């Protein structure tokens, strides 16, 4: 078990002190002043089962629901199953729709059906609809806890509606305007409604040019939309332009962290982990890492074969071998640099598959400049080692060609992978070093034959 931090230990002691002194309205109020739902979720697993039940039974259902949303899915279900069924049903009906949909899909189907049976008929239909969308899409991230108004309502009617349902909404700053068929026709802000005459029509206050995303859009597209427009939420619509729900910025922050973590792991040649690193078993880590290691190990045999084929050249000019690690290492580094930059640029929408030729042209020129700089250093290094100028020229020209090739390859592999339907990080990053090692050696020995005549 990982060590408990001093801050977490202090919060745990405070919670236990409140529980031991007896739960009262005053003590609950003091508890909520000191600790946020996330803080309570952090210390919750450290409490004894009786303490957990005592704490949750004393808190408002909406706060309990928020605490549960920060816990692992299996832990959420265990807690709900352990609580009084009346209280459990109240908590489930209070949970945000996106969190509840994720929970139902993550646990055993029979357990999920049991939770769904606790919901009101309308809420059950909404959760089931959200569950129909594939993972990592806008529909799967959406919550139905938004405020909708009709375009024929007056500002007073819309504000009365906000007061009525606002406590259950994820946000109240945006009011989405729907027609009789549930289609999104506009959006207005709470500020505009408040400042409008009470008899003004919502249709006159709303903005009909609504920025929205398709329910089938990838979650990265949702994140980019929120970032580009600086929204706190974006509406999600189906193919008929009917309102599915909204995705809020806090959901997108989770997406960004998840996508960044996945990309880093893929770039390192490992499959994404299903659990935090320290909580993953050695067998789980082994399975996630052995695949790429074996593949790259086998592919690395090509490098050994090339060295064997060029044994005669190495025998005639043994000094060639001194520079092999520098050459292939520099090529791998330049390729990885280019791949990382392009992968990131594609993730934030700066580069698309249509930019293939522009990227090649840019990286080819940059590779020449980088290679010339490295080649100059290589030439000087060869001379300082006492090698002949011809060998120095060989190494310098080889590094120019290798860096130019590896930069171009590293930049274009992510685009090719995207065009073929693969994750750019999976397709490119782990392969670059192996490909550059093999081609770099071929380039090096070919230049050596031209310059040195071996």
């Amino acid at each position: 078990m990982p060590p408990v931090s001093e801050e977490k230990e202090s919060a745990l002691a405070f919670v236990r002190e409140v529980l031991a002194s007896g739960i009262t309205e005053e003590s609950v109020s003091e508890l909520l002043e000191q600790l946020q739902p996330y803080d309570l979720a952090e210390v919750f697993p450290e409490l004894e089962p009786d303490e957990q039940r005592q704490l949750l039974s004393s808190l408002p259902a909406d706060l309990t629901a928020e605490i549960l949303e920060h816990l692992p899915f299996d832990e959420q279900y265990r807690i709900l199953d352990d609580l009084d069924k009346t209280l459990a049903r109240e908590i489930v009906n209070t949970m945000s729709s996106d969190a509840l949909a994720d929970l139902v899909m993550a646990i055993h189907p029979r357990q999920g059906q049991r939770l769904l049976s606790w919901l009101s008929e309308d809420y059950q239909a909404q959760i089931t609809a959200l569950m129909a969308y594939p993972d990592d899409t806008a529909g799967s991230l959406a919550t139905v806890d938004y405020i909708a108004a009709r375009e024929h309502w007056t500002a007073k009617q819309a504000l009365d509606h906000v007061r009525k349902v606002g406590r259950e909404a994820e946000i109240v700053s945006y009011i989405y305007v729907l027609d009789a068929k549930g289609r999104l026709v506009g959006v207005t802000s709470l500020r505009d409604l408040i400042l409008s005459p009470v008899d003004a029509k919502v249709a006159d206050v709303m903005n009909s040019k609504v920025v929205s995303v398709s329910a089938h859009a990838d979650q990265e597209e949702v994140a980019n939309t929120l970032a580009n427009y600086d929204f706190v939420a974006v509406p999600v619509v189906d193919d008929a332009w009917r309102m599915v729900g909204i995705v809020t910025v806090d959901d997108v922050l989770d997406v960004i962290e998840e996508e960044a973590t996945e990309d880093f792991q893929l770039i390192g040649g490992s499959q994404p982990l299903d659990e935090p690193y320290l909580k993953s078993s050695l067998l789980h880590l082994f399975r996630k890492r052995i695949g790429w290691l074996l593949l790259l190990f086998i592919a690395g045999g090509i490098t050994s074969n090339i060295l064997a084929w060029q044994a005669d050249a190495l025998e005639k000019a043994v000094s060639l071998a001194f520079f092999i690690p520098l050459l292939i290492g520099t090529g791998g580094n330049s390729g990885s640099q280019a791949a990382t930059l392009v992968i990131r640029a594609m993730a934030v929408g700066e580069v698309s598959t249509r930019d293939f030729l522009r990227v090649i042209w840019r990286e080819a020129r940059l590779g020449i400049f980088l290679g010339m700089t490295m080649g100059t250093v290589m030439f000087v290094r060869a001379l300082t080692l006492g090698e002949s100028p011809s060998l120095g020229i060989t190494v310098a020209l080889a590094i120019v060609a290798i860096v130019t090739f590896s930069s171009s390859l590293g930049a274009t592999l992510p685009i090719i992978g995207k065009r073929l339907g693969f994750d750019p990080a999976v397709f490119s990053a782990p392969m670059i070093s192996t490909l550059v090692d093999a081609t770099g050696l071929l380039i090096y020995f070919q230049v050596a034959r031209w310059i040195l005549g071996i």
Side-chain angles (χ1 to χ4, degrees):
M1 180 179 295
V4 179
S5 67
E6 183 176 340
E7 183 177 346
K8 185 175 177 181
E9 190 172 326
S10 175
L12 178 61
F14 178 61
V15 171
R16 281 185 165 147
E17 179 183 342
V18 171
L19 294 175
S21 63
I23 295 293
T24 63
E25 185 175 338
E26 183 179 348
S27 63
V28 170
S29 177
E30 182 181 0
L31 180 68
L32 300 182
E33 285 180 3
Q34 298 294 326
L35 300 175
Q36 297 292 322
Y38 175 79
D39 301 322
L40 293 171
E42 281 287 286
V43 302
F44 192 83
E46 309 295 332
L47 298 172
E48 298 297 330
D50 289 342
E51 293 176 320
Q52 292 179 351
R53 284 190 293 270
Q54 184 183 3
L55 175 63
L56 296 184
S57 300
S58 63
L59 297 176
D62 58 341
L63 182 59
T64 300
E66 192 172 348
I67 293 172
L68 291 182
E69 290 174 16
H70 293 292
L71 299 176
F73 294 122
D74 56 345
E75 186 73 3
Q76 291 184 43
Y77 181 79
R78 183 195 66 78
I79 293 168
L80 290 168
D81 185 52
D82 194 40
L83 289 173
D84 173 77
K85 295 304 171 281
T86 301
L87 176 59
R89 285 185 172 87
E90 184 181 359
I91 293 171
V92 169
N93 278 276
T94 308
M95 292 180 70
S96 62
S97 54
D98 54 339
L100 184 54
D102 289 341
L103 171 60
V104 172
M105 289 190 293
I107 58 181
H108 191 278
R110 283 198 297 270
Q111 295 173 334
Q113 286 300 318
R114 186 182 181 210
L115 291 186
L116 287 174
S117 69
W118 293 354
L119 302 177
S120 64
E121 187 174 337
D122 290 343
Y123 201 27
Q124 184 178 138
Q126 291 173 330
I127 298 300
T128 304
L130 293 181
M131 291 167 55
Y133 292 102
D135 289 342
D136 302 334
T137 62
S140 68
L141 291 175
T143 174
V144 298
D145 307 318
Y146 62 90
I147 300 178
R150 300 295 182 182
E151 53 188 332
H152 64 270
W153 287 1
T154 63
K156 181 181 184 304
Q157 287 176 306
L159 289 172
D160 288 342
H161 182 64
V162 171
R163 295 187 186 96
K164 180 180 178 181
V165 303
R167 293 185 181 277
E168 300 174 2
E170 190 86 3
I171 60 169
V172 296
S173 51
Y174 297 145
I175 292 86
Y176 300 96
V177 186
L178 311 180
D179 66 12
K181 295 183 178 180
R183 292 176 299 197
L184 181 64
V185 295
V187 62
T188 187
S189 68
L190 181 61
R191 177 179 182 272
D192 288 341
L193 284 179
I194 293 173
L195 296 178
S196 299
V198 293
D199 58 348
K201 296 294 185 183
V202 170
D204 297 329
V205 179
M206 72 180 190
N207 181 358
S208 58
K209 296 181 179 180
V210 188
V211 176
S212 63
V213 294
S214 166
H216 301 284
D218 186 85
Q219 60 183 12
E220 288 192 40
E221 180 182 336
V222 183
N224 291 335
T225 300
L226 282 169
N228 292 337
Y229 289 93
D230 290 329
F231 289 161
V232 296
V234 63
V236 180
V237 296
D238 64 13
D239 296 335
W241 212 252
R242 289 187 298 266
M243 188 84 168
V244 172
I246 62 171
V247 177
T248 56
V249 70
D250 59 326
D251 296 322
V252 166
L253 290 175
D254 295 335
V255 169
I256 292 173
E257 180 181 0
E258 176 187 327
E259 293 286 347
T261 300
E262 181 177 309
D263 285 345
F264 273 117
Q265 291 170 347
L266 291 171
I267 288 173
S270 172
Q271 290 298 309
L273 300 180
D274 300 323
E275 298 177 341
Y277 174 76
L278 290 177
K279 293 184 179 180
S280 300
S281 66
L282 292 179
L283 180 60
H284 181 71
L285 292 172
F286 173 82
R287 289 173 176 169
K288 291 294 184 180
R289 294 167 63 175
I290 191 60
W292 273 113
L293 280 179
L294 278 177
L295 179 62
L296 296 176
F297 177 75
I298 295 171
I302 299 174
T303 303
S304 301
N305 291 337
I306 293 174
L307 288 173
W309 296 337
Q310 303 295 335
D312 60 329
L314 288 174
E315 289 177 1
K316 295 178 182 178
V318 177
S319 296
L320 287 174
F322 301 159
F323 298 94
I324 288 177
L326 280 173
L327 289 169
I328 62 178
T330 301
N333 290 339
S334 61
S336 296
Q337 280 185 339
T340 302
L341 290 173
V342 172
I343 289 171
R344 183 56 185 164
M346 292 177 69
V348 298
E350 297 173 354
V351 171
S352 69
T353 54
R354 295 191 301 271
D355 298 314
F356 183 80
L357 294 179
R358 291 181 60 193
V359 170
I360 289 181
W361 175 234
R362 174 178 289 265
E363 284 298 326
R365 288 179 296 162
L366 180 60
I368 292 173
F369 293 140
L370 293 172
M372 291 175 63
T373 303
M374 302 299 295
T376 302
V377 175
M378 284 285 196
F379 179 77
V380 173
R381 179 171 176 76
L383 296 182
T384 57
L385 291 175
E387 303 295 343
S388 65
S390 58
L391 180 62
I393 293 173
T394 299
V395 175
L397 290 178
I399 197 64
V400 172
I402 290 171
V403 170
T404 302
F405 171 78
S406 60
S407 295
S408 302
L409 179 69
T412 54
L413 275 179
I415 299 177
I416 294 172
K418 185 73 171 180
R419 178 67 64 87
L420 295 176
F422 297 106
D423 187 300
V426 176
F427 188 78
S428 56
M431 299 171 56
I432 287 173
S433 293
T434 302
L435 292 174
V436 169
D437 287 354
T439 53
L441 286 174
L442 290 174
I443 292 171
Y444 183 36
F445 284 113
Q446 188 59 52
V447 172
R449 291 184 187 280
W450 290 339
I451 303 298
L452 303 178
I454 56 177

